[in-house]
Amino acid sequence: MFTTYKEALDWIHARLRLGIKPGLKRMEWMMDKLDNPENKMKAVHVGGTNGKGSTVTFLRSILEAGGYTVGTFTSPYIEQFNERISINGKPISDEEILLLANVIRPLADDLEETELGGPTEFEVITAMAFYYFANVTKVDIVIFEVGLGGRFDSTNIIQPLASIITNIGLDHTNILGNTYEEIAFEKAGIIKEKTPIFTAVKHPGALTVIEEQADEKSAPIYRLNREYAISGYESLARGEKFTLETQLQPIKQLEINMIGQHQTENASLAVLAAQYLKEKGLFTVTEQAIRVGLMRAYWPGRFEVLSENPLVIIDGAHNEEGITALTHELSTRFADRNIHIVFAALTDKKLDEMIGKLDHIANQISFVSFDFPRAAKAEQLLNISQSQNKLAVDNWQSYLLEEMKMLEANDILVVTGSLYFISEAKPKICKFLKNITISL
């Protein structure tokens, strides 16, 4: 038995040593021992390469604005571990994490003795979420974010009311496949029999795979620029405006506070899912709830402005698609500014493509490493870069503090890369900014 939150958290994190083990048998084994809590809740399943967390947040915020209590399961965390299991955007308590860890620990120990082997960190956390929403605090609906892939992801034991696939990119190719089509097949694994699938996938080959899987399972499919479309797009100072053209209920001039044109696609998927739940008589979602929910939606670490003066932005652009979206927004919004990028990444990413895009937009680029098993070394990143103004940094914390102190009116500091790095860096940056403000 764990007696403290720290003991529980240390045990959970220690399971990272088991790495990634795709497959559902360990989850099914644990769920059977827990009397299948995954079957005792209404759920929506969200997969894709980028935009999963934002889409979860948009949908959660819409349903919450409609008066519902909404559970979410997301990963990784940005500000604190507990946020992975949340209710109406509020992370569960340390005491609840302790309780859940003590429920799952005996199962993990027993499973370790079987031929299946012990559960991974992500499987443990997923099991905790299922148990929590079924037995500890029941909610009206739970939105589950896929961790990796879809077909063999530990969340894929649910039977959702609807499924969402945001987009497809070449990420985790060592596990999911080397082509858009192979990765799409894994992502499409969350499509269930006769359960609607909403998607913003644009790549023709990837979309074809998803369509084939939907057809095979008689799942109604709603595709961007087919069954729905985005029009009237307008970039706002701190957000976006757009019109959603849909067969269910067209809505004009929707506004979101999340920055980036790609966020209009994530928001649209959330609106479509909410409209479907209303159409089927499962939830009452008004247009007012949709508008209010979209405006209130906030997801940390996604083109998040931490300070206006000095201008400091963090963005968890952890793969090529994320970097493409980031550089598009920077070039569109801040073409006249001196852009200084601080970048950290994991070794299993397409680093040459990512750094090449950053080189093109940055006036200065600094590479850092951080304390994580798969983190790339700063020198490794530096050697890939072709920038004429680059450097590798040993101590990113002291470096960021000094850089923020030196920012001038026309400068912008962008801290980006791995979400694991962003989660470590954000609280430090906020503390630094507070100290800078006080000193000024």
Side-chain angles (χ1 to χ4, degrees):
M1 286 282 290
F2 303 114
T3 57
T4 67
Y5 171 77
K6 184 180 185 306
E7 288 176 354
L9 208 57
D10 288 346
W11 173 72
I12 294 169
H13 290 327
R15 307 200 70 79
L16 276 170
R17 73 184 190 281
L18 299 176
I20 298 170
K21 300 195 295 185
L24 301 179
K25 292 192 178 298
R26 288 176 299 280
M27 284 300 301
E28 291 169 345
W29 189 95
M30 288 191 289
M31 293 302 99
D32 180 65
K33 300 296 183 183
L34 292 172
D35 192 28
N36 297 107
E38 76 280 11
N39 296 332
K40 299 176 182 178
M41 63 193 74
K42 295 177 180 177
V44 171
H45 208 184
V46 181
T49 300
N50 292 82
K52 297 188 296 292
S54 297
T55 303
V56 168
T57 300
F58 281 126
L59 181 54
R60 187 266 298 169
S61 190
I62 289 170
L63 293 170
E64 187 182 346
Y68 295 100
T69 302
V70 187
T72 53
F73 176 69
T74 56
S75 64
Y77 65 92
I78 296 296
E79 296 171 348
Q80 61 166 307
F81 174 84
N82 301 26
E83 72 193 44
R84 299 183 73 163
I85 304 172
S86 296
I87 296 179
N88 286 356
K90 181 180 179 181
I92 65 173
S93 68
D94 292 356
E95 292 74 20
E96 288 171 318
I97 291 289
L98 177 60
L99 180 154
L100 295 172
N102 279 322
V103 169
I104 303 303
R105 170 69 184 270
L107 297 179
D109 290 343
D110 290 345
L111 187 54
E112 193 95 46
E113 301 302 316
T114 73
E115 62 182 12
L116 296 174
T120 65
E121 182 202 40
F122 190 74
E123 288 170 335
V124 164
I125 300 168
T126 309
M128 289 167 59
F130 284 133
Y131 184 86
Y132 180 80
F133 290 120
N135 300 298
V136 180
T137 302
K138 295 187 178 182
V139 295
D140 295 311
I141 188 170
V142 186
I143 310 170
F144 285 95
E145 178 188 345
V146 172
L148 175 65
R151 187 163 64 106
F152 291 128
D153 185 76
S154 60
T155 62
N156 202 30
I157 58 175
I158 62 174
Q159 294 297 321
L161 301 174
S163 302
I164 296 171
I165 298 177
T166 57
N167 59 22
I168 301 294
L170 296 177
D171 199 12
H172 298 294
T173 53
N174 58 321
I175 297 173
L176 302 179
N178 294 309
T179 68
Y180 284 94
E181 290 78 9
E182 289 173 332
I183 294 174
F185 180 74
E186 296 300 324
K187 304 286 186 184
I190 69 171
I191 300 174
K192 301 297 194 300
E193 194 74 26
K194 297 182 180 179
T195 301
I197 176 72
F198 301 92
T199 184
V201 170
K202 301 187 191 71
H203 186 276
L207 182 58
T208 296
V209 171
I210 292 171
E211 290 169 338
E212 290 171 349
Q213 291 301 305
D215 183 63
E216 185 176 308
K217 295 175 182 176
S218 301
I221 186 168
Y222 298 82
R223 298 159 291 186
L224 179 63
N225 298 324
R226 301 278 188 88
E227 287 73 29
Y228 74 98
I230 296 169
S231 64
Y233 168 72
E234 181 182 345
S235 178
L236 306 177
R238 286 292 176 261
E240 316 294 339
K241 180 188 290 187
F242 66 100
T243 291
L244 177 60
E245 307 286 352
T246 165
Q247 298 172 346
L248 295 176
Q249 179 190 343
I251 308 181
K252 295 182 178 181
Q253 295 187 315
L254 290 167
E255 291 188 27
I256 57 176
N257 283 323
M258 289 197 209
I259 295 174
Q261 187 172 359
H262 59 287
Q263 292 291 9
T264 64
E265 297 176 5
N266 299 327
S268 295
L269 289 169
V271 173
L272 286 166
Q275 288 180 331
Y276 171 80
L277 295 175
K278 175 185 177 182
E279 182 189 40
K280 294 301 179 182
L282 299 168
F283 292 86
T284 302
V285 182
T286 64
E287 181 176 320
Q288 178 66 9
I290 290 172
R291 291 186 181 278
V292 171
L294 290 184
M295 284 294 290
R296 288 179 179 171
Y298 160 76
W299 190 231
R302 276 64 173 184
F303 210 94
E304 183 178 3
V305 179
L306 297 183
S307 169
E308 295 279 359
N309 184 26
L311 184 51
V312 179
I313 295 172
I314 60 168
D315 188 80
H318 59 285
N319 53 34
E320 187 180 352
E321 287 72 27
I323 292 292
T324 298
L326 170 63
T327 54
H328 171 76
E329 291 304 320
L330 290 174
S331 62
T332 301
R333 293 173 178 271
F334 304 109
D336 59 338
R337 304 289 286 266
N338 181 43
I339 300 174
H340 178 186
I341 290 177
V342 177
F343 179 70
L346 303 185
T347 55
D348 58 358
K349 303 297 180 179
K350 291 185 176 297
L351 298 175
D352 53 344
E353 299 289 344
M354 296 168 69
I355 292 173
K357 292 178 185 293
L358 293 175
D359 281 346
H360 183 71
I361 197 72
N363 299 99
Q364 177 183 338
I365 186 165
S366 304
F367 299 102
V368 302
S369 189
F370 63 108
D371 186 18
F372 191 79
R374 292 182 284 129
K377 300 298 182 185
E379 288 290 340
Q380 175 189 353
L381 302 174
L382 181 78
N383 292 334
I384 296 172
S385 173
Q386 299 298 312
S387 173
Q388 298 301 307
N389 192 7
K390 61 181 179 179
L391 70 156
V393 177
D394 292 328
N395 187 325
W396 64 264
Q397 297 185 38
S398 59
Y399 176 73
L400 279 178
L401 176 58
E402 292 305 313
E403 285 299 301
M404 283 188 284
K405 287 181 179 178
M406 295 169 58
L407 289 175
E408 298 181 356
N410 197 48
D411 295 338
I412 171 174
L413 179 65
V414 182
V415 181
T416 188
S418 168
L419 282 167
Y420 295 102
F421 173 62
I422 294 300
S423 69
E424 189 174 332
K426 181 180 176 179
K428 300 291 185 183
I429 295 172
C430 290
K431 182 179 179 180
F432 295 159
L433 286 168
K434 184 178 180 181
N435 291 336
I436 291 172
T437 302
I438 291 173
S439 65
L440 291 175

